[in-house]
Amino acid sequence: MTDTRNDATGRGRGARTPARKPEPRVRMSAAQRREQLIRTARGLFAERGFDATSVEEIAARATVSKPVVYEHFGGKEGLYAVVVDREIRALLERITNALTGGHPRKLVEQAALALLDYIEQEADGFRVLVRESPIGAGSGNFSSVLNDVARQAEHILGAQFKNRGYDPKLAELYSQALVGMVALTGRWWLDAREPRKEAVAAHLVNLAWNGLSHLEATPSTLHTRQQR
């Protein structure tokens, strides 16, 4: 016979604990679900790269079925393209908005700080951009971002070269060199995170502006000097 006496909890010892009902799933609109999938895929692409990330993993982490991913993006390639496009636009907007100073040294400093700010605040997004793009991805990669930034820098340098009597045709070469230097340093700083981004920017500008033969012993950004 089942012992139905109450235990310390007030329940009968022979009574079964009722099964716990699963938590109700929050129903999302199509737009909300799309944003969720983009955020989820962004993290996985940053962590594992395009090739090592599967639709199954994206769906599992987002707690949806695989058909939902295909319904919104047509597959992993379509989702990856959306993630990369967003990051490219976000990075370009940051750099473009930062270029407000008229002096060339100030512009180099602003561009360097804008990239380092992005790396610091959007590390996953930067990791997605600097990873190898899948075959057929076209221009949606970090190289295309750097080319866009270099083209903007080229116009600025061209005007300065002309005013100073230098050959403006060399502006393209110098803009590629400057942007490449900042970008490669940014990739290193993504994991190193030392020294502070202001110090990294100061040393980049120190090299770009003064050259190896005229390096300052303890460089600082113009912004830092104004705050003293």
Side-chain angles (χ1 to χ4, degrees):
M1 178 180 292
T2 302
D3 186 355
T4 59
R5 288 176 296 175
N6 290 343
D7 60 13
T9 63
R11 295 193 301 268
R13 290 179 183 171
R16 293 183 177 179
T17 302
R20 188 173 183 179
K21 294 181 179 179
E23 294 291 333
R25 293 180 61 183
V26 178
R27 188 173 184 82
M28 295 184 181
S29 67
Q32 290 172 328
R33 181 65 71 191
R34 180 180 174 85
E35 290 300 316
Q36 181 211 23
L37 289 170
I38 292 172
R39 289 195 306 271
T40 300
R42 181 181 187 258
L44 281 168
F45 289 142
E47 177 186 335
R48 308 192 61 186
F50 176 84
D51 290 333
T53 300
S54 66
V55 173
E56 288 86 351
E57 287 176 299
I58 296 170
R61 189 169 290 191
T63 64
V64 299
S65 62
K66 285 173 56 179
V68 174
V69 179
Y70 288 105
E71 176 186 347
H72 282 277
F73 302 98
K76 186 174 71 168
E77 291 79 5
L79 180 49
Y80 177 83
V82 171
V83 171
V84 170
D85 181 66
R86 282 194 174 192
E87 296 305 322
I88 287 175
R89 287 189 285 111
L91 178 54
L92 279 176
E93 183 178 2
R94 278 177 180 261
I95 294 176
T96 301
N97 291 340
L99 299 177
T100 58
H103 194 279
R105 176 167 181 163
K106 185 67 174 178
L107 290 170
V108 174
E109 176 184 311
Q110 289 170 339
L113 281 172
L115 176 62
L116 294 171
D117 280 339
Y118 173 78
I119 293 172
E120 183 178 62
Q121 298 165 16
E122 306 292 346
D124 277 355
F126 188 72
R127 285 192 172 92
V128 171
L129 289 180
V130 298
R131 283 185 177 275
E132 290 297 324
S133 300
I135 297 175
S139 61
N141 53 45
F142 192 51
S143 295
S144 68
V145 178
L146 299 186
N147 284 330
D148 287 341
V149 175
R151 278 193 289 270
Q152 294 184 41
E154 182 183 344
H155 293 300
I156 297 168
L157 289 178
Q160 291 294 328
F161 277 24
K162 188 175 182 179
N163 292 336
R164 293 168 183 260
Y166 302 144
D167 185 356
K169 293 180 181 179
L170 293 174
E172 182 178 1
L173 185 157
Y174 278 88
S175 65
Q176 291 287 342
L178 285 171
V179 172
M181 178 179 69
V182 174
L184 285 176
T185 304
R187 292 183 68 166
W188 162 79
W189 190 74
L190 173 65
D191 295 316
R193 295 303 175 98
E194 288 183 358
R196 296 180 301 107
K197 64 183 177 185
E198 291 80 8
V200 174
H203 282 282
L204 284 170
V205 175
N206 188 25
L207 176 59
W209 190 254
N210 295 313
L212 288 173
S213 62
H214 296 91
L215 286 179
E216 298 171 356
T218 54
S220 61
T221 62
L222 296 176
H223 178 70
T224 302
R225 295 175 191 175
Q226 292 168 357
Q227 291 181 326
R228 290 175 181 172

